Amino acid sequence: VAMKIQVVGTPCAGNKVAIYGNYETVGPALRSIFAAYERMGLIITSADLGLSIDQLKQWALPVAPTCLVPLGVYQKGIPSALITANAAFAGLHAMAECLEGSPELGDLTVSLQGIGEVGFRMAELKIAEGSKIFITEANSETRAQFKYANQTACDSGQVHFLEDLDGIYDVRADIFVPCALRDILTTENLVRLKSAGLKMIGGPANNLFPDQVSGPWQYHEAGIPVVPYEGIGAGGVTGVAYSIMTGIFGSAPFTPEEKIAMIRDYITRVMGWSQKYDLPAQVVSDRILFRRALRRRILQHSQADQIIAKLRRAFAMDNPEFESELVCDLTKRGFFKGIGRFQSGGWGFLATEVN
């Protein structure tokens, strides 16, 4: 979430808490957690994956009335899933432009994993664009709802649902859009996606690599660029920030459309630099976003001329040693391996090697 905030530069957003356990005990768990939140102070919260507003009202509100007062804030806002989907769809256009020949999105075949709130809208946007879509969705009610709402596209063969959820990695598609599961970009799935002729991966699902150190390099070297999820998925923090600010202050200093344009531009730039410097897009993105976060953190604590001068030297690459100490050691291990490994240039080299 912190990295997504750096992409769109929202003045506020939030953090996420993942709870592992038996879903049947979600009620008592919420009651315990929000009782602790109430003792901590004001927590602006809303629902996310696996959690509904009704559950918050039933279990959390009685023990944490301060925490859940902001539920009413969202009545004047925009559902974050809506902005996430719109921004990710704009990101798909940027991805298509990065492919050889810059094809139109409507001329491509897309495989889509998961049609929850975000994936459902993205699928409908792609239908309107003319793309052929392969979909996997575990929830039978969601599948039935989608088929009913998009009967013409399903009957015509534009949309095809896979019975085998795991078969999404074997579909012959141009772009794979993960909208559900994390940790799916494994070495085993890389072999399957490569065999299926996939050209690019990008979607709003978080933490796609189970191995965040070597995973981006494996996919990069195999010739399948992966769009950083904190870029293409940054619409969520945009929606949260917009809703909070309009609900509390009556207005926000930005529009969702402005942030969606920033997300698309970010993807275009990161994928371009990835190709130019022959670095995984995740490596490029991490370098940019961790530096932005570090700038914010330091400058909020001090405006000392000495610190600013050091930062300028480091970010200008005039002092690689200092940059390594200041930036690399504070970020994910293994992501800063210098210039690209292939001197003849990025994706073009990889495509030649494969052919």
Side-chain angles (χ1 to χ4, degrees), residues 264-306:
R264 175 170 178 164
D265 177 65
Y266 183 80
I267 293 170
T268 298
R269 288 186 292 120
V270 166
M271 301 312 285
W273 288 330
S274 170
Q275 185 174 15
K276 180 177 180 180
Y277 297 108
D278 191 29
L279 291 166
Q282 189 66 58
V283 174
V284 175
S285 182
D286 281 347
R287 290 184 177 184
I288 296 169
L289 300 182
F290 276 109
R291 287 174 182 175
R292 287 183 184 176
L294 195 60
R295 284 188 181 113
R296 281 190 174 190
R297 188 187 314 159
I298 292 178
L299 295 180
Q300 283 173 355
H301 286 83
S302 173
Q303 291 289 341
D305 292 340
Q306 182 181 7

Side-chain angles (χ1 to χ4, degrees), residues 335-351:
F335 276 6
F336 295 85
K337 298 187 178 180
I339 61 172
R341 300 180 180 183
F342 304 108
Q343 298 303 317
S344 53
W347 304 346
F349 175 87
L350 297 171

Side-chain angles (χ1 to χ4, degrees), residues 135-151:
I135 299 175
T136 54
E137 169 56 49
N139 189 298
S140 58
E141 292 183 7
T142 302
R143 290 198 304 270
Q145 181 185 0
F146 186 91
K147 290 177 181 178
Y148 177 79
N150 300 277
Q151 184 175 354

Side-chain angles (χ1 to χ4, degrees), residues 115-353:
I115 50 170
E117 287 186 305
V118 174
F120 197 110
R121 175 164 176 78
M122 287 189 69
E124 292 190 323
L125 290 171
K126 285 194 280 287
I127 288 173
E129 195 78 10
S131 302
K132 184 176 181 179
I133 313 171
F134 289 90
I135 299 175
T136 54
E137 169 56 49
N139 189 298
S140 58
E141 292 183 7
T142 302
R143 290 198 304 270
Q145 181 185 0
F146 186 91
K147 290 177 181 178
Y148 177 79
N150 300 277
Q151 184 175 354
T152 301
C154 293
D155 291 346
S156 68
Q158 182 184 3
V159 174
H160 180 74
F161 277 87
L162 302 179
E163 295 299 325
D164 177 14
L165 300 181
D166 194 53
I168 196 71
Y169 307 112
D170 302 312
V171 168
R172 298 202 66 83
D174 299 296
I175 295 177
F176 172 40
V177 183
C179 294
L181 304 175
R182 59 173 292 162
D183 295 336
I184 59 170
L185 297 188
T186 62
T187 303
E188 293 77 11
N189 286 338
L190 171 59
V191 174
R192 298 169 66 181
L193 292 165
K194 187 70 179 176
S195 297
L198 191 75
K199 298 175 182 176
M200 189 175 289
I201 300 171
N206 293 325
N207 302 314
L208 296 175
F209 292 104
D211 183 346
Q212 296 190 58
V213 175
S214 61
W217 285 98
Q218 288 178 349
Y219 277 71
H220 174 74
E221 291 170 1
I224 302 182
V226 180
V227 177
Y229 63 84
E230 68 268 16
I232 197 168
V237 295
T238 299
V240 172
Y242 182 82
S243 295
I244 289 173
M245 300 196 77
T246 55
I248 294 177
F249 303 111
S251 63
F254 63 87
T255 66
E257 291 73 22
E258 290 171 348
K259 299 302 183 185
I260 289 173
M262 287 178 64
I263 291 169
R264 175 170 178 164
D265 177 65
Y266 183 80
I267 293 170
T268 298
R269 288 186 292 120
V270 166
M271 301 312 285
W273 288 330
S274 170
Q275 185 174 15
K276 180 177 180 180
Y277 297 108
D278 191 29
L279 291 166
Q282 189 66 58
V283 174
V284 175
S285 182
D286 281 347
R287 290 184 177 184
I288 296 169
L289 300 182
F290 276 109
R291 287 174 182 175
R292 287 183 184 176
L294 195 60
R295 284 188 181 113
R296 281 190 174 190
R297 188 187 314 159
I298 292 178
L299 295 180
Q300 283 173 355
H301 286 83
S302 173
Q303 291 289 341
D305 292 340
Q306 182 181 7
I307 292 178
I308 294 176
K310 285 183 178 180
L311 286 173
R312 284 174 179 159
R313 288 201 304 273
F315 298 143
M317 296 295 289
D318 292 330
N319 190 336
E321 237 178 76
F322 181 80
E323 177 172 288
S324 175
E325 178 184 344
L326 185 66
V327 181
C328 300
D329 293 346
L330 297 177
T331 61
K332 299 174 184 176
R333 180 178 59 83
F335 276 6
F336 295 85
K337 298 187 178 180
I339 61 172
R341 300 180 180 183
F342 304 108
Q343 298 303 317
S344 53
W347 304 346
F349 175 87
L350 297 171
T352 303
E353 184 185 54

Side-chain angles (χ1 to χ4, degrees), residues 18 23 32 51-52 54 57 130 200 210 222 269 339:
Y23 194 75
S32 175
L51 183 66
S52 69
D54 289 339
K57 289 180 178 178
M200 189 175 289
R269 288 186 292 120
I339 61 172

